[in-house]
Each structure stands twice: as C-alpha cells, then as structure tokens.
Amino acid sequence: MTSTPHDTPGESDPLRVLGLERLRRRTSMKWRAYPEDVLPLWVAEMDVPLAEPVVRAVTDALALGDTGYPAGTAYAEALAGFAAKRWNWHGIAVEHTAIVPDVMLGVVEMLKLVTDPGDPVIVNAPVYPPFYQFVSHMDRRVVEARLGADLRIDLDLLAATFRAATAGGGRAAFLLCSPHNPTGTVHTVAELAAVADLAERYGVRVVADEIHAPLVAPGVTYAPYLSVPGAERGLSLMSASKGWNLAGLKAALAVAGPGAAADLARLPEEVSHGPSHLGVIAHTAALNEGTEWLDALLAGLDNNRRLLADLLAEHLPAVRACPAEATYLAWLDCRALGLGDDPAEVFLDRGRVALSSGVLFGTGGAGHVRLNLATSPEILTEGVRRMAAALA
C-alpha cells in the first residue's frame, strides 16, 4: 500500500467555512440533541459544507426526479477506482460487492452470513459502541479482546480469544474496526496479516468495518483488510459516509474477498433495497470527484490535531491524547483529573460542552472521552476552554 497524497489544489479548508450561528440552524442529531448553550463535540458529524460534486450530483438527480430505487454498479466501480488510486489496491471485484443500507446494518448482514444465533463475535475494546448494541440485538455474544497498553491489537490476547471462542467447535467472527474508533489507530500490514493468519488457524471469520478508511492522516499508510495476505475469506464494509459527511444519505458497500464470494452471494436480495438511491448517487460522486475536497479536509484535520495538542498542553496538561493516525476523533485519557468513570458528564454539566462518554466504548473506556475534531479551530478552542472551565 502507499501513503495518501495530500496536495489541495483549488480547495480551501472546509473546516473553516461555517460559523457557529449557521451550524446551529442544522437539524441533525449533533446540533439538536442538547440545549443551545451546549457546544456539541460528540457524535461523528462534521461541521463542513458538502463537497461541490456531491451537491451537484444530488441536485441534478432531484431536478430530474431521479428518486427511485437504487440500481447498477456505479458505486462499486467508484470505490474500486478510489481504492486503486488512494491505496494502490486493485482487489475490489465489482461482482463481489453488494450495496447495503449503511455500514452497521451491513455488518449485521455479514455476521448473519457467517455466524449463528448465540455465536461469539469478538471485538477490540474500547471500540465503537454500536458494535455492542447491534451484535447483542442480533442474538450474538460480544466477546472482548482488549487493545494493548499501546492501543494496538494485542495479537497474543486475540489468539487466546479466538482459541477459546472456537473451542467447542462452533462458529465465531471477529468484528475488526479499521481504522480503529475511538483511538484512530491505523493497523499495519503486518498486524492485519497476523489477524488473517490467526483467523484461518482458528476458523474465525473476519468482518471489517472500514468506514473511516478515507480519513487517514498525511504520511500514514492505510491497508484495506482484504488487501493483506491470508484475508481471502474476509468481508469488508466501506462507505463514503464519514469521509464526506454523508451519514444522512444512506448507502454502503459490502466487499467480499475471493474466498467469501459465495457467502456474499447468499445475501438476501431485499437488503439491496435499503440504501437510498440519492445516497448511492452522493457516495459515488464523492469517490469519483471529491478527492480534492477530501485532501483539503485531511489537511485541516491535521492542523486541528496539532491545535488540540497545544490547547491541552496549555489548559488541561493532565489530559493525555492518543496520537491518532486516522479518523476525525480524539481519544482523551482524563483519569488523572479525578473525575470518575464518566468525565464527559462533568464536562457537560459544568462546562456545557458535549463529548462522547468513554464508558460506552466498553472495557478500557472508563475515565476517557471522545472528542470530535471535525470543526473549526475557533469552536475547537472554545470546546477545550469550556472543558478547563469545568474544573475550576
């Protein structure tokens, strides 16, 4: 794999375009879940205008009345082209893909293909809270294999967990988060190949959530799970949702490795009716024409990571930030502040800033918060100022 280029010809930083007054006119979850005096830096929505090619594609579809059911392979072809240019990965076979409503519903459908009710699904805690919610609601058992102290996959622990999960001869799956949410860790080719080797050794099927894959920091090399040796029986979920702020335009793709194509072929036909046709159009336009906008965003996010480090050093020196390699999220260790298991509650009550509670991310999350960096430097600065004020 190759590292991502980050030249930004003709595009300004989209994080510096929208002010707080305009953002508060939005009606999405980020801006309506809390009272207006609360500054929201929590859920994974970005404070950006949409990339112009996306706006144009959706507007043209509306003008044409093209608002029916999704069809065709344009989305998969766009993802294959993006992967080839961005990650030097030419392994997406369009015929081994399927559109699904979104990444988490796609995860559920993939897990249904490779596990049975009651089977274990292994996750690397702390991890994205819906992993626990969706897996439990589909009548599978969540089994944690905690990340190491360095917030990377502990391969020895993962091997022991795989061995225990399959000891009775049943089926098991590993739900891989790549890049990892909330830590922003980008798994290396060697780590992913080791995961694939363990999965084959113990008969565990890997389902990879790669929704944050476009959001890799400058100079960091990203490897899709299905690109590594031994991952042929893996299944992946990808989307333009996080990279281009399209969560409200529902669409994602399930991608099968060569050894999992027969599994994907068993996906019920009605699942493909779930994505929004406008969502498919938007995601396709983002992948085909939105890379300059994405590069400008990535440069802005990198600036915000540095700004956050400076702000914490000045205002909250006891808070330790995990040095993220991807996503627009910051995982903050607040245990030295003595605020208990849920510092997010204190920051909300006393500072009027909303962060994601680390407790919801499972084992290893207590005493932590997740902060959304995808906002303007001014809003980020005010957010940290409010966090510090909560301790006064």
Side-chain angles (χ1 to χ4, degrees):
M1 299 301 106
T2 57
S3 60
T4 303
H6 292 283
D7 53 332
T8 58
E11 290 281 355
S12 59
D13 181 356
L15 295 170
R16 294 176 176 267
V17 174
L18 302 179
L20 190 56
E21 181 180 352
R22 186 174 173 189
L23 288 166
R24 288 204 181 278
R25 291 166 53 193
R26 292 185 169 182
T27 60
S28 61
M29 182 185 293
K30 180 178 183 180
W31 291 96
R32 294 303 170 98
Y34 292 96
E36 194 163 307
D37 67 325
V38 172
L39 193 66
L41 296 176
W42 64 296
V43 74
E45 297 181 23
M46 293 195 286
D47 297 344
V48 293
L50 290 185
E52 194 277 333
V54 173
V55 175
R56 184 174 64 248
V58 173
T59 302
D60 288 350
L62 290 173
L64 189 62
D66 187 9
T67 54
Y69 297 104
T73 59
Y75 189 2
E77 291 165 11
L79 178 61
F82 180 85
K85 294 175 184 175
R86 204 74 175 178
W87 306 316
N88 195 30
W89 179 43
H90 302 268
I92 294 181
V94 171
E95 65 272 19
H96 295 162
T97 66
I99 56 170
V100 292
D102 59 32
V103 164
M104 278 311 303
L105 291 176
V107 164
V108 167
E109 295 297 336
M110 297 306 103
L111 290 174
K112 286 179 181 178
L113 295 176
V114 298
T115 63
D116 297 311
D119 283 343
V121 176
I122 298 142
V123 302
N124 292 136
V127 74
Y128 183 49
F131 277 20
Y132 296 93
Q133 299 158 355
F134 279 73
V135 170
S136 297
H137 290 164
M138 62 179 296
D139 196 24
R140 269 68 171 171
R141 294 185 293 112
V142 177
V143 176
E144 293 182 330
R146 186 172 174 175
L147 295 173
D150 57 357
L151 298 181
R152 306 198 73 85
I153 296 173
D154 182 333
L155 292 169
D156 291 335
L157 177 58
L158 191 66
T161 307
F162 281 7
R163 184 166 53 249
T166 56
R171 301 207 288 180
F174 174 42
L175 181 48
L176 171 69
C177 195
S178 179
H180 195 84
N181 176 3
T183 64
T185 304
V186 174
H187 311 302
T188 67
V189 172
E191 288 169 332
L192 293 174
V195 167
D197 179 68
L198 290 173
E200 286 302 298
R201 187 185 314 171
Y202 294 105
V204 173
R205 299 299 298 275
V206 178
V207 176
D209 170 355
E210 300 188 275
I211 196 170
H212 288 277
L215 294 165
V216 175
V220 176
T221 299
Y222 178 73
Y225 176 70
L226 296 180
S227 71
V228 304
E232 291 80 10
R233 293 206 308 143
L235 292 156
S236 171
L237 284 305
M238 290 188 167
S239 172
S241 172
K242 290 295 181 281
W244 286 268
N245 205 42
L246 303 176
L249 290 164
K250 293 283 190 180
L253 282 164
V255 184
D263 294 303
L264 189 60
R266 293 187 287 107
L267 186 70
E269 190 268 342
E270 62 268 19
V271 172
S272 67
H273 297 172
S276 159
H277 181 46
L278 289 177
V280 171
I281 289 170
H283 290 233
T284 301
L287 291 165
N288 278 336
E289 304 175 65
T291 53
E292 287 187 6
W293 183 94
L294 177 64
D295 283 338
L297 169 72
L298 294 177
L301 289 174
D302 209 44
N303 290 334
N304 275 4
R305 290 187 189 99
R306 289 191 290 270
L307 174 61
L308 177 63
D310 292 342
L311 291 168
L312 292 176
E314 179 181 355
H315 299 288
L316 291 166
V319 173
R320 186 170 64 86
C322 169
E325 300 172 305
T327 79
Y328 50 73
L329 308 166
W331 186 236
L332 305 181
D333 184 347
C334 303
R335 288 175 291 182
L337 298 177
L339 301 179
D341 285 349
D342 194 5
E345 189 174 79
V346 177
F347 292 131
L348 177 61
D349 291 344
R350 300 181 192 170
R352 309 310 286 163
V353 57
L355 307 168
S356 296
S357 169
V359 174
L360 302 177
F361 291 79
T363 301
H368 293 72
V369 299
R370 193 190 71 178
L371 181 149
N372 183 343
L373 285 163
T375 190
S376 69
E378 293 78 15
I379 291 175
L380 179 59
T381 299
E382 172 65 9
V384 175
R385 187 198 67 76
R386 291 187 183 203
M387 292 171 67
L391 305 181

